Amino acid sequence: MDLGLVVYALNLASIYALMAVGISILWSSVGIINMAHGATFAIAGYAAWMTTGALQPVIAGAFGSGGMANVVMAMALCGSAVVAGALCGVVIYLLAFLPIHDKPNFPVRALIITLGLNIAAVQGLLWIFGPRSQGLPKIFGFGRWEVLGTRIRYDQAGTIIGAVIVMGLTLAWLRYSRRGLEIRAMMQNSEGAAYSGISRQITALPVLMLTGALAGMAAALLSQTIFVSPTAGVIPLVKGLTIALLGGLGSVAGAVIGAILVGFLEAIVGAIPFLGQRYVLFATFMFIIAVLIVRPRGIGGLLDDTRE
Amino acid sequence: MTVKSYYKVGRRPWEWRLKPDGRSERRRTRPPGTRRHWLKWRDVHNPKSLRRERVLVDKMPLWWTLGLVSVALVTPFLPNSLISVVSIFCIYASINVLWTLIVGTAGIFSLATLAVVGAAGYVAAAANVYLGVPWPFMLLIGPATGFVFGAILAAPSTRLDGLYYALLTIGVAEICRVFVLQLRALTPTSGAITQVDSFIPEAWFLQRPGLLLGFAGAFLLLLGALLLWRLVNSERLGMLLRVARSSREDEAFAEAIGIDFRRARLTVFVISSAALGVVGAFYAMYYRSISPQIFSLDQLLLLFAMMVIGGLGRAEGAVVGAAIVTIIDKGLVTLGPPRIILIAAIMIGVTIFAREGLTGARAQFRDYRKRKSGERRASRTEKGGEAMPEEATEVHDKQELYYRRFNKRLRERLKTLITPELIEEHRRDPLGHHSDDLARVLNFFRRGEMADKYVIHRMQPAEERFRVMAVSGVRGMPPRVVDDREYTDIKEAYHAVFLLRVNDLLES
């Protein structure tokens, strides 16, 4: 296996991990399967597109076109995508969590409401912006590095590094902050957390904002490789959901491992000549279904078993 | 002279009831081949008129008949575009009814319904176009494919539960879409199979007779789906699953009493998958083509929205939801994307406010009203002799409740009248002309219940010796002696009884 394939696999894995970890955290702590994750992804992409479009002349005026302008542009892009994602999280909190979190049948109803939000958001974007794809400015620039005889594109490297940094920050926040402690308590046992004085209503808001921000970050990073369009969220949503499922739906480590596995699987299947790109999705789903039939609780269940 | 007007009172004054002859035997016929009755007639007694009456307890069949007959009667007079809208409604409604069978009856949260429909449609269409199978056989190939596909899909449902399985099935639908899109043979038509033979003759296609024929087929399809739903639910399979579901918390219990609910679930799943296969073949014939659009997430979500708006797990919900969504989606095409946003908004609103969709709103409202009236009653009633709300619902004779309340209030008032002066007045002259207060108290005592009422016993042989007894209140049971004090003066005895009763009143 050559290095280019590894980089490509890691590139895919980092995007998938950002989506799957968000879905996983949300499910285990709040109990919502967030079908609006794809809509969050698309909205964040459009927000970044609009912000950078508006700021382009300003930044060009202030910093010229050197490296500094590129850095500022990257910050504007990622910042706007993250903020838009977090705002989407607030909307989901207000519609899909707050009115029904203590009503019967909450998980299914939350799933339905987020589905409705997803449909509405995608159609709204179609209505406002039209079906045409939009390209975002390339914050990592065009070009390649020569490493060990293989060429690595800047955007691939940037995506991998960015995703690793964001994931690291998220996990560190979950690990070391007070709020993170509360969220982890809710992930372990939400009733127990409620008994020890952790309010589900108050904690759910930062969780939703965090996962929204992760989806926004994924959108910002993926926009370096593909274009932004109203339906851009569907594939990341479906993949994120199935990878979260593969990871055991609720285990962060499982989701990350699942994402890496699926990333490599896709890269390898894509590289095999007689299969090729057209069977990538097929192979991925087959793999996930096979794993789930053997281990219904996914990789997370496997991790729990080894820990015990 | 004023005309008196009477108001019908009670909960259902307009309910239509059969009044069968009191002497006739009760005859109930069953459709051949089934062991259940299809209409829920119940014999009741009218407590007012004391007559025998026959009520249709479950009136849903009535509404179904009315609705379906009106659809069948109105549609032939509609313009062409609306006829196709109604036909699409019928197709969607039948898919939804079968889906309801999976989600509601079997309790498997599958989202691969359209995948089954599409797969069966594709196989049937391919058999017709590439193998030259005549169209009537498509209606056999479809369910066979659905059966096989359903059996494959059903396998993981025993291991994965609930939402996990739902997510997995979304993946399956996506696989189907991608798979069809990747087929090299279909690349020129971007994945669609066209030129499918149909029960609608080619010359009539998209003409009025063809549309009417298509509507007739779709309507029959809907009737068939409803019939299947009814059959599965009212026969043994549905009963087993209902029992297993009512003990959902403890499925082990259902297994322990001998219900193999997993097997029953899978059976229902496979049956409805085969039926979905029929719908798939019909779909391909109705449009004379089939495209990968049927596997798309949007289409799936549209159908899911129908079920959710109507009420997940109810046949009437599936049909009502299909009607609402189809009218908005196909009837208001000129609106563009906002119509889908409207559907999504309805879906969100219904889910937030209604527990079980629009068709469950009535039951939810009744529960709410019942709860509120219970709360009001609890805040209204006080303790002490009066019936508590929990008890009040048990007491059949409601007059009893009001009597108790009246009695309690009376006692409260009389307690305030008892003073040492009053007792002294009675001691002086038990039988004389009393003051107003004492007369009221004595009147209350006289009206007391027979059980434990105090009486004076003149002891044998006839002489001036008295003692106080309490009657049992039951015929044939002798009175009991209250205490062994004897009184030589009848007035003293009267006063002793009075004091006992005052004591009882103050203690109550």
Side-chain angles (χ1 to χ4, degrees):
Chain A
M1 192 162 55
D2 67 323
L3 195 62
L5 201 63
V6 175
V7 172
Y8 178 60
L10 284 177
N11 183 21
L12 289 176
S14 53
I15 300 288
Y16 294 159
L18 282 178
M19 294 300 279
V21 164
I23 291 169
S24 224
I25 290 178
L26 196 55
W27 165 249
S28 55
S29 62
V30 185
I32 297 178
I33 287 190
N34 189 3
M35 302 297 275
H37 222 60
T40 309
F41 185 90
I43 288 175
Y46 269 95
W49 175 66
M50 284 175 69
T51 315
T52 48
L55 287 183
Q56 195 120 38
V58 180
I59 293 172
F63 301 98
S65 60
M68 193 61 198
N70 221 345
V71 171
V72 174
M73 187 57 114
M75 281 166 65
L77 196 150
C78 294
S80 55
V82 165
V83 168
L87 285 178
C88 286
V90 174
V91 171
I92 295 170
Y93 175 78
L94 290 178
L95 282 176
F97 177 77
L98 210 50
I100 54 163
H101 72 281
D102 49 355
K103 301 269 166 59
N105 227 351
F106 166 64
V108 174
R109 284 167 79 178
L111 173 89
I112 293 167
I113 291 178
T114 49
L115 257 179
L117 283 175
N118 197 24
I119 303 173
V122 170
Q123 293 295 329
L125 287 178
L126 260 177
W127 188 24
I128 298 169
F129 297 105
R132 218 164 64 83
S133 307
Q134 313 287 356
L136 263 74
K138 302 290 177 216
I139 50 175
F140 302 119
F142 299 96
R144 285 138 202 266
W145 279 324
E146 290 278 345
V147 180
L148 299 173
T150 46
R151 281 181 297 199
I152 301 170
R153 291 211 313 272
Y154 284 167
D155 59 304
Q156 285 183 340
T159 303
I160 296 168
I161 294 167
V164 168
I165 290 173
V166 169
M167 295 282 295
L169 284 177
T170 308
L171 291 179
W173 182 71
L174 280 179
R175 182 83 185 77
Y176 296 111
S177 75
R178 170 91 196 165
R179 188 63 80 190
L181 183 69
E182 289 179 1
I183 294 172
R184 278 188 295 133
M186 266 176 62
M187 284 169 74
Q188 277 183 4
N189 185 343
S190 65
E191 277 179 25
Y195 284 134
S196 35
I198 297 169
S199 161
R200 198 155 160 242
Q201 285 180 39
I202 295 174
T203 318
L205 183 58
V207 175
L208 275 158
M209 287 175 72
L210 170 74
T211 53
L214 283 179
M217 196 64 209
L221 291 176
L222 195 63
S223 68
Q224 299 306 309
T225 317
I226 63 164
F227 295 114
V228 173
S229 71
T231 49
V234 176
I235 294 288
L237 169 72
V238 172
K239 290 232 174 122
L241 278 173
T242 39
I243 290 169
L245 207 58
L246 175 70
L249 211 57
S251 141
V252 174
V256 173
I257 295 172
I260 293 173
L261 275 180
V262 170
F264 272 93
L265 184 78
E266 291 196 355
I268 293 167
V269 171
I272 294 173
F274 64 92
L275 285 177
Q277 282 297 329
R278 51 176 59 204
Y279 289 105
V280 164
L281 205 60
F282 197 69
T284 314
F285 282 126
M286 280 303 174
F287 171 68
I288 291 174
I289 290 172
V291 170
L292 284 178
I293 288 173
V294 181
R295 308 279 318 182
R297 282 171 57 219
I299 298 169
L302 213 64
L303 292 178
D304 284 351
D305 287 354
T306 45
R307 194 175 301 146
E308 280 162 13
Chain B
M1 191 183 145
T2 56
V3 180
K4 271 190 182 173
S5 59
Y6 293 100
Y7 295 98
K8 293 216 169 198
V9 294
R11 301 219 305 178
R12 294 172 178 176
W14 305 108
E15 190 181 34
W16 182 67
R17 290 171 167 220
L18 284 181
K19 296 199 172 56
D21 183 7
R23 285 160 298 179
S24 67
E25 289 267 323
R26 188 172 173 209
R27 281 193 308 276
R28 307 186 68 193
T29 48
R30 290 183 283 213
T34 132
R35 301 173 68 188
R36 324 268 170 231
H37 301 283
W38 282 50
L39 295 176
K40 203 173 173 186
W41 287 107
R42 289 290 178 270
D43 276 11
V44 294
H45 258 97
N46 188 331
K48 290 260 159 60
S49 67
L50 299 182
R51 295 211 20 209
R52 189 173 152 199
E53 288 178 347
R54 193 166 286 171
V55 198
L56 188 59
V57 175
D58 182 10
K59 295 190 181 58
M60 274 326 278
L62 216 61
W63 308 130
W64 274 118
T65 317
L66 278 179
L68 291 173
V69 166
S70 58
V71 167
L73 287 184
V74 168
T75 311
F77 302 103
L78 291 177
N80 283 359
S81 57
L82 285 182
I83 290 181
S84 62
V85 170
V86 177
S87 311
I88 293 167
F89 153 72
C90 287
I91 297 175
Y92 281 167
S94 42
I95 295 177
N96 277 341
V97 167
L98 296 171
W99 195 354
T100 299
L101 211 51
I102 297 176
V103 174
T105 306
I108 298 176
F109 207 76
S110 161
L111 294 176
T113 316
L114 271 181
V116 177
V117 173
Y122 260 99
V123 172
N128 178 267
V129 173
Y130 299 111
L131 303 179
V133 178
W135 69 263
F137 290 98
M138 282 172 72
L139 291 176
L140 294 178
I141 297 170
T145 319
F147 181 83
V148 174
F149 205 66
I152 296 170
L153 270 179
S157 78
T158 50
R159 284 186 64 85
L160 295 171
D161 53 275
L163 293 173
Y164 286 69
Y165 185 71
L167 295 184
L168 191 74
T169 47
I170 292 184
V172 171
E174 195 66 20
I175 288 179
C176 290
R177 192 176 70 85
V178 173
F179 182 73
V180 169
L181 278 177
Q182 304 299 356
L183 284 176
R184 284 211 173 80
L186 298 177
T187 312
T189 52
S190 65
I193 297 181
T194 50
Q195 312 281 318
V196 182
D197 198 10
S198 166
F199 61 97
I200 309 170
E202 183 127 31
W204 284 6
F205 189 59
L206 293 181
Q207 306 301 311
R208 191 166 178 90
L211 287 174
L212 284 176
L213 195 59
F215 163 70
F219 192 71
L220 284 181
L221 194 72
L222 176 58
L223 287 186
L226 286 170
L227 184 70
L228 183 73
W229 186 84
R230 183 64 218 247
L231 272 175
V232 168
N233 269 311
S234 62
E235 291 301 315
R236 187 174 169 76
L237 206 54
M239 277 175 60
L240 292 181
L241 285 167
R242 267 201 298 283
V243 171
R245 191 164 51 239
S246 60
S247 57
R248 162 72 40 104
E249 285 77 36
D250 191 12
E251 283 180 337
F253 172 76
E255 275 194 311
I257 57 174
I259 296 177
D260 191 354
F261 67 91
R262 286 206 181 82
R263 191 191 164 137
R265 271 184 186 175
L266 293 188
T267 316
V268 173
F269 191 100
V270 171
I271 289 175
S272 39
S273 293
L276 284 170
V278 179
V279 180
F282 181 86
Y283 186 94
M285 286 196 279
Y286 179 81
Y287 285 107
R288 288 185 155 266
S289 69
I290 188 161
S291 74
Q293 187 63 27
I294 193 168
F295 296 117
S296 74
L297 200 60
D298 293 348
Q299 197 71 25
L300 179 72
L301 294 187
L302 205 64
L303 258 85
F304 192 64
M306 294 177 191
M307 300 236 299
V308 167
I309 289 172
L312 213 57
R314 300 154 167 266
E316 64 266 26
V319 176
V320 169
I324 293 173
V325 173
T326 317
I327 287 170
I328 295 176
D329 185 36
K330 305 284 183 215
L332 305 175
V333 181
T334 47
L335 238 60
R339 73 185 195 282
I340 309 286
I341 299 178
L342 181 66
I343 293 172
I346 294 176
M347 183 171 159
I348 294 172
V350 166
T351 319
I352 289 179
F353 294 111
R355 211 168 42 207
E356 282 185 352
L358 287 181
T359 48
R362 192 170 170 221
Q364 190 180 356
F365 174 68
R366 284 190 174 167
D367 278 359
Y368 167 80
R369 194 173 58 185
K370 212 183 273 176
R371 199 180 69 235
K372 283 291 166 197
S373 75
E375 279 170 9
R376 274 200 298 276
R377 196 168 51 214
S379 67
R380 215 168 40 225
T381 35
E382 302 160 58
K383 287 174 193 138
E386 212 172 346
M388 293 306 291
E390 304 82 43
E391 189 194 352
T393 53
E394 305 286 314
V395 176
H396 181 66
D397 184 5
K398 298 301 175 206
Q399 208 167 348
E400 171 74 18
L401 301 176
Y402 286 94
Y403 175 68
R404 282 201 215 170
R405 178 183 293 176
F406 162 76
N407 205 19
K408 185 207 161 206
R409 289 186 185 165
L410 184 64
R411 275 183 280 124
E412 300 266 288
R413 210 179 102 64
L414 292 178
K415 274 182 201 171
T416 62
L417 299 181
I418 308 267
T419 53
E421 293 86 56
L422 189 103
I423 294 172
E424 180 56 27
E425 185 194 345
H426 186 270
R427 196 192 61 75
R428 271 201 316 271
D429 196 4
L431 297 177
H433 189 79
H434 296 305
S435 68
D436 181 59
D437 288 352
L438 185 54
R440 281 171 189 276
V441 173
L442 287 173
N443 254 335
F444 174 71
F445 290 157
R446 280 181 202 117
R447 271 206 324 270
E449 285 173 17
M450 246 356 240
D452 271 347
K453 196 166 188 171
Y454 298 112
V455 290
I456 296 172
H457 178 221
R458 181 192 284 257
M459 294 170 76
Q460 297 292 336
E463 50 184 309
E464 295 297 294
R465 278 168 62 220
F466 306 97
R467 60 179 179 180
V468 179
M469 302 183 89
V471 294
S472 66
V474 180
R475 181 182 269 260
M477 280 269 282
R480 65 183 168 86
V481 180
V482 174
D483 54 19
D484 47 7
R485 271 190 69 178
E486 289 184 7
Y487 305 93
T488 50
D489 188 1
I490 181 87
K491 286 190 174 180
E492 254 179 69
Y494 280 141
H495 190 61
V497 169
F498 177 75
L499 286 180
L500 278 169
R501 284 181 181 163
V502 165
N503 204 21
D504 287 356
L505 171 65
L506 289 180
E507 271 180 4
S508 74

